[in-house]
Amino acid sequence: MLALPPTAGLHVATIGQRPLRVSERLKEARETRNLSYRQIADATKLSVHVIRALEEERVSALPPGIYRRALVRAFAEEVGLDPESTLKAYL
């Protein structure tokens, strides 16, 4: 019997050989769904500034702790990513 690696059958988005960072996943998911920053902002009640900061990994522009986690969850859910696994990868 052929033993498959633990990630066999799972899709992991990559750039070249490196897995995408959470910020890249968020941006890619938003762009794939043809959603603008304004559409995400309106749906999540996040500011465009916060959405761009998440996509650009500008952590200093984001609130700390539990607030930052809530932002990541909201953005991920709106663009169709699993909020919990996205948050886990973010931390």
Side-chain angles (χ1 to χ4, degrees):
M1 183 168 172
L2 178 63
L4 298 174
T7 57
L10 298 178
H11 173 71
V12 178
T14 61
I15 292 180
Q17 295 300 317
R18 133 181 113 67
L20 291 178
R21 295 187 304 264
V22 170
S23 60
E24 294 167 327
R25 287 188 220 163
L26 291 169
K27 182 176 183 174
E28 181 180 82
R30 179 184 60 77
E31 290 175 345
T32 297
R33 287 163 179 75
N34 293 316
L35 297 170
S36 68
Y37 292 119
R38 174 55 44 208
Q39 288 172 304
I40 299 294
D42 290 346
T44 61
K45 308 301 183 216
L46 303 177
S47 72
V48 169
H49 173 78
V50 164
I51 294 164
R52 291 183 68 129
L54 285 167
E55 284 190 356
E56 297 168 3
E57 292 187 19
R58 288 184 292 115
V59 177
S60 63
L62 300 170
I66 194 165
Y67 299 107
R68 188 176 305 156
R69 289 184 287 238
L71 301 175
V72 171
R73 275 192 191 106
F75 189 173
E77 186 170 11
E78 189 59 33
V79 297
L81 298 175
D82 176 62
E84 295 308 313
S85 65
T86 302
L87 181 60
K88 185 176 178 180
Y90 182 79
L91 300 174

